[in-house]
Amino acid sequence: MIAAAPYGVRIAVRLTPRARADRLIGVARLGDGAPILKVTVTAPPAEGRANAALLQLLAKEWNVPRRDLAILGGQKSRNKVVGITGDPALLLKRLGAALATLPQS
């Protein structure tokens, strides 16, 4: 789900647009057993609004500048790869601790 990259880290996300609230739901498993972060946003998927809401939510929840986040893959898919720029070791430690507090399913 979260892995180091040359520029920082990348994280796998399953996004549900048009939800009741913007929130991190928890960590789920895909059919192949790979972990993925489940996130909901109230924004519709049209014109990239759900993607923008996702990045805004992650920046707020993880206290990282919005400019350091980008969607690397899955622009038009529910399954996305989000990249976070910064020191990989520091980000892995900080985000790993935050993800460990979320419900696992």
Side-chain angles (χ1 to χ4, degrees):
M1 173 177 59
I2 188 168
Y7 54 82
V9 297
R10 63 176 189 235
I11 185 162
V13 175
R14 170 89 174 165
L15 180 64
T16 302
R18 291 193 175 129
R20 290 181 184 254
D22 293 348
R23 64 187 185 125
L24 305 180
I25 300 294
V27 179
R29 297 268 173 199
L30 295 174
D32 63 1
I36 193 162
L37 176 63
K38 291 177 67 176
V39 179
T40 64
V41 294
T42 57
E47 300 168 4
R49 288 186 277 193
N51 289 341
L54 168 66
L55 297 179
Q56 180 108 8
L57 175 64
L58 294 178
K60 179 182 169 192
E61 289 287 327
W62 294 336
N63 196 28
V64 296
R66 165 59 187 87
R67 69 179 177 272
D68 289 350
L69 288 104
I71 295 181
L72 305 177
Q75 289 283 343
K76 296 186 179 208
S77 170
R78 285 183 179 230
N79 293 337
K80 302 178 183 303
V81 176
V82 175
I84 305 171
T85 304
D87 177 21
L90 177 64
L91 287 170
L92 282 172
K93 181 179 176 185
R94 201 165 99 208
L95 298 180
L99 293 171
T101 65
L102 295 173
Q104 308 283 320
S105 61

